[in-house]
Short mmCIF file of all heavy atoms in Angstrom, two decimals:
data_model
loop_
_atom_site.label_atom_id
_atom_site.label_comp_id
_atom_site.label_asym_id
_atom_site.label_seq_id
_atom_site.Cartn_x
_atom_site.Cartn_y
_atom_site.Cartn_z
N SER A 195 226.68 223.72 -18.53
CA SER A 195 226.58 224.24 -17.16
C SER A 195 227.82 223.91 -16.35
O SER A 195 228.27 224.71 -15.52
CB SER A 195 225.33 223.69 -16.47
OG SER A 195 225.38 222.29 -16.34
N CYS A 196 228.40 222.75 -16.59
CA CYS A 196 229.66 222.39 -15.90
C CYS A 196 230.76 223.36 -16.28
O CYS A 196 231.50 223.86 -15.43
CB CYS A 196 230.05 220.96 -16.26
SG CYS A 196 231.59 220.40 -15.48
N ARG A 197 230.87 223.66 -17.58
CA ARG A 197 231.89 224.61 -18.05
C ARG A 197 231.63 226.01 -17.46
O ARG A 197 232.57 226.69 -17.03
CB ARG A 197 231.86 224.67 -19.57
CG ARG A 197 232.76 225.70 -20.23
CD ARG A 197 234.24 225.40 -20.05
NE ARG A 197 234.79 226.00 -18.85
CZ ARG A 197 236.06 225.91 -18.49
NH1 ARG A 197 236.91 225.23 -19.24
NH2 ARG A 197 236.51 226.49 -17.40
N PHE A 198 230.36 226.43 -17.43
CA PHE A 198 230.02 227.75 -16.91
C PHE A 198 230.38 227.87 -15.44
O PHE A 198 231.05 228.84 -15.03
CB PHE A 198 228.52 228.01 -17.11
CG PHE A 198 228.03 229.29 -16.52
CD1 PHE A 198 228.24 230.49 -17.18
CD2 PHE A 198 227.36 229.31 -15.30
CE1 PHE A 198 227.79 231.70 -16.63
CE2 PHE A 198 226.93 230.50 -14.75
CZ PHE A 198 227.14 231.70 -15.41
N TRP A 199 229.95 226.92 -14.62
CA TRP A 199 230.22 227.01 -13.19
C TRP A 199 231.69 226.82 -12.85
O TRP A 199 232.17 227.27 -11.81
CB TRP A 199 229.36 226.02 -12.41
CG TRP A 199 227.91 226.39 -12.43
CD1 TRP A 199 226.88 225.71 -13.03
CD2 TRP A 199 227.31 227.55 -11.84
NE1 TRP A 199 225.69 226.38 -12.86
CE2 TRP A 199 225.92 227.52 -12.13
CE3 TRP A 199 227.81 228.62 -11.09
CZ2 TRP A 199 225.05 228.51 -11.70
CZ3 TRP A 199 226.94 229.62 -10.67
CH2 TRP A 199 225.58 229.55 -10.98
N THR A 200 232.43 226.16 -13.75
CA THR A 200 233.87 225.99 -13.54
C THR A 200 234.59 227.33 -13.56
O THR A 200 235.60 227.51 -12.86
CB THR A 200 234.46 225.05 -14.60
OG1 THR A 200 233.88 223.75 -14.43
CG2 THR A 200 235.96 224.91 -14.46
N LEU A 201 234.09 228.28 -14.35
CA LEU A 201 234.72 229.60 -14.39
C LEU A 201 234.71 230.25 -13.00
O LEU A 201 235.69 230.87 -12.58
CB LEU A 201 233.97 230.51 -15.37
CG LEU A 201 234.05 230.10 -16.85
CD1 LEU A 201 233.12 230.98 -17.69
CD2 LEU A 201 235.47 230.19 -17.36
N PHE A 202 233.62 230.10 -12.27
CA PHE A 202 233.53 230.64 -10.92
C PHE A 202 234.28 229.77 -9.92
O PHE A 202 234.97 230.27 -9.03
CB PHE A 202 232.06 230.76 -10.50
CG PHE A 202 231.26 231.71 -11.34
CD1 PHE A 202 230.53 231.25 -12.42
CD2 PHE A 202 231.25 233.07 -11.07
CE1 PHE A 202 229.80 232.12 -13.21
CE2 PHE A 202 230.52 233.95 -11.85
CZ PHE A 202 229.79 233.48 -12.93
N ALA A 203 234.15 228.46 -10.09
CA ALA A 203 234.76 227.53 -9.14
C ALA A 203 236.28 227.61 -9.17
O ALA A 203 236.95 227.34 -8.15
CB ALA A 203 234.30 226.11 -9.44
N HIS A 204 236.84 227.96 -10.32
CA HIS A 204 238.30 228.07 -10.41
C HIS A 204 238.83 229.08 -9.39
O HIS A 204 239.85 228.83 -8.73
CB HIS A 204 238.70 228.50 -11.81
CG HIS A 204 240.17 228.81 -11.93
ND1 HIS A 204 241.11 227.81 -12.12
CD2 HIS A 204 240.86 229.98 -11.86
CE1 HIS A 204 242.31 228.35 -12.17
NE2 HIS A 204 242.19 229.66 -12.02
N TYR A 205 238.13 230.19 -9.23
CA TYR A 205 238.61 231.22 -8.31
C TYR A 205 238.31 230.86 -6.85
O TYR A 205 239.02 231.31 -5.95
CB TYR A 205 238.03 232.58 -8.71
CG TYR A 205 238.58 233.01 -10.05
CD1 TYR A 205 237.80 232.91 -11.20
CD2 TYR A 205 239.89 233.45 -10.17
CE1 TYR A 205 238.31 233.26 -12.44
CE2 TYR A 205 240.42 233.81 -11.41
CZ TYR A 205 239.63 233.70 -12.54
OH TYR A 205 240.14 234.04 -13.78
N LEU A 206 237.30 230.04 -6.64
CA LEU A 206 237.10 229.48 -5.29
C LEU A 206 238.25 228.55 -4.94
O LEU A 206 238.76 228.56 -3.81
CB LEU A 206 235.77 228.73 -5.23
CG LEU A 206 234.49 229.56 -5.30
CD1 LEU A 206 233.27 228.65 -5.33
CD2 LEU A 206 234.41 230.52 -4.12
N TRP A 207 238.65 227.74 -5.92
CA TRP A 207 239.81 226.86 -5.73
C TRP A 207 241.07 227.67 -5.45
O TRP A 207 241.85 227.34 -4.56
CB TRP A 207 239.99 226.01 -7.01
CG TRP A 207 241.31 225.30 -7.09
CD1 TRP A 207 241.64 224.10 -6.52
CD2 TRP A 207 242.49 225.74 -7.78
NE1 TRP A 207 242.94 223.77 -6.81
CE2 TRP A 207 243.48 224.76 -7.58
CE3 TRP A 207 242.78 226.87 -8.54
CZ2 TRP A 207 244.76 224.88 -8.13
CZ3 TRP A 207 244.06 227.00 -9.09
CH2 TRP A 207 245.03 226.01 -8.87
N PHE A 208 241.24 228.76 -6.19
CA PHE A 208 242.42 229.61 -6.02
C PHE A 208 242.43 230.24 -4.63
O PHE A 208 243.47 230.25 -3.94
CB PHE A 208 242.41 230.70 -7.10
CG PHE A 208 243.66 231.54 -7.15
CD1 PHE A 208 244.91 230.96 -7.00
CD2 PHE A 208 243.56 232.91 -7.34
CE1 PHE A 208 246.06 231.74 -7.06
CE2 PHE A 208 244.72 233.70 -7.38
CZ PHE A 208 245.96 233.11 -7.25
N ALA A 209 241.28 230.74 -4.19
CA ALA A 209 241.18 231.35 -2.85
C ALA A 209 241.44 230.31 -1.76
O ALA A 209 242.11 230.60 -0.76
CB ALA A 209 239.81 231.99 -2.67
N ARG A 210 240.91 229.11 -1.97
CA ARG A 210 241.12 228.04 -0.99
C ARG A 210 242.60 227.68 -0.90
O ARG A 210 243.13 227.45 0.19
CB ARG A 210 240.30 226.82 -1.39
CG ARG A 210 240.51 225.60 -0.52
CD ARG A 210 239.52 224.50 -0.86
NE ARG A 210 239.91 223.25 -0.24
CZ ARG A 210 240.40 222.21 -0.89
NH1 ARG A 210 240.53 222.26 -2.21
NH2 ARG A 210 240.74 221.11 -0.26
N ARG A 211 243.26 227.66 -2.04
CA ARG A 211 244.67 227.31 -2.03
C ARG A 211 245.49 228.36 -1.29
O ARG A 211 246.38 228.03 -0.49
CB ARG A 211 245.19 227.17 -3.47
CG ARG A 211 246.63 226.67 -3.50
CD ARG A 211 247.08 226.38 -4.90
NE ARG A 211 247.33 227.62 -5.64
CZ ARG A 211 247.80 227.64 -6.88
NH1 ARG A 211 248.03 226.49 -7.51
NH2 ARG A 211 248.03 228.78 -7.49
N ILE A 212 245.21 229.64 -1.54
CA ILE A 212 245.93 230.70 -0.84
C ILE A 212 245.71 230.61 0.66
O ILE A 212 246.65 230.69 1.46
CB ILE A 212 245.47 232.08 -1.36
CG1 ILE A 212 245.93 232.27 -2.81
CG2 ILE A 212 246.02 233.20 -0.47
CD1 ILE A 212 245.41 233.55 -3.44
N PHE A 213 244.44 230.38 1.06
CA PHE A 213 244.11 230.28 2.48
C PHE A 213 244.86 229.12 3.13
O PHE A 213 245.44 229.27 4.21
CB PHE A 213 242.61 230.08 2.63
CG PHE A 213 242.17 229.82 4.05
CD1 PHE A 213 242.08 230.86 4.97
CD2 PHE A 213 241.85 228.53 4.47
CE1 PHE A 213 241.68 230.63 6.27
CE2 PHE A 213 241.45 228.29 5.77
CZ PHE A 213 241.36 229.35 6.68
N GLN A 214 244.87 227.97 2.47
CA GLN A 214 245.53 226.80 3.05
C GLN A 214 247.04 226.97 3.11
O GLN A 214 247.69 226.51 4.06
CB GLN A 214 245.16 225.55 2.25
CG GLN A 214 243.70 225.14 2.42
CD GLN A 214 243.28 224.05 1.45
OE1 GLN A 214 243.72 224.01 0.31
NE2 GLN A 214 242.44 223.15 1.91
N ARG A 215 247.60 227.64 2.12
CA ARG A 215 249.04 227.85 2.12
C ARG A 215 249.46 228.85 3.20
O ARG A 215 250.57 228.79 3.71
CB ARG A 215 249.50 228.33 0.75
CG ARG A 215 249.50 227.23 -0.31
CD ARG A 215 250.64 226.27 -0.10
NE ARG A 215 250.49 225.08 -0.95
CZ ARG A 215 251.39 224.12 -1.05
NH1 ARG A 215 252.50 224.19 -0.32
NH2 ARG A 215 251.19 223.07 -1.81
N VAL A 216 248.57 229.76 3.53
CA VAL A 216 248.85 230.72 4.61
C VAL A 216 248.74 230.04 5.97
O VAL A 216 249.58 230.23 6.86
CB VAL A 216 247.89 231.93 4.54
CG1 VAL A 216 248.00 232.78 5.79
CG2 VAL A 216 248.19 232.75 3.29
N ILE A 217 247.71 229.20 6.13
CA ILE A 217 247.46 228.54 7.42
C ILE A 217 248.50 227.47 7.71
O ILE A 217 248.99 227.35 8.83
CB ILE A 217 246.05 227.94 7.44
CG1 ILE A 217 244.99 229.05 7.33
CG2 ILE A 217 245.83 227.11 8.70
CD1 ILE A 217 245.03 230.05 8.45
N PHE A 218 248.84 226.68 6.68
CA PHE A 218 249.76 225.56 6.88
C PHE A 218 251.13 225.90 6.32
O PHE A 218 251.26 226.62 5.34
CB PHE A 218 249.23 224.30 6.19
CG PHE A 218 247.89 223.86 6.69
CD1 PHE A 218 246.74 224.08 5.93
CD2 PHE A 218 247.74 223.24 7.92
CE1 PHE A 218 245.50 223.69 6.37
CE2 PHE A 218 246.50 222.84 8.37
CZ PHE A 218 245.38 223.06 7.60
N SER A 219 252.13 225.35 6.97
CA SER A 219 253.48 225.49 6.42
C SER A 219 253.58 224.67 5.15
O SER A 219 252.74 223.83 4.87
CB SER A 219 254.51 224.99 7.44
OG SER A 219 254.37 223.59 7.61
#
């Protein structure tokens, strides 16, 4: 289940990173 949910969580992490990089210098 950890491996399964990681597949989805990876793209949440990716979206969060893009958002933070846009908001912060």
Side-chain angles (χ1 to χ4, degrees):
S195 62
C196 180
R197 174 68 270 182
F198 176 79
W199 290 113
T200 296
L201 294 173
F202 297 94
H204 173 82
Y205 294 103
L206 290 176
W207 167 84
F208 187 41
R210 175 172 168 252
R211 186 173 74 177
I212 292 175
F213 174 77
Q214 291 171 324
R215 287 286 169 175
V216 169
I217 297 299
F218 301 104
S219 67

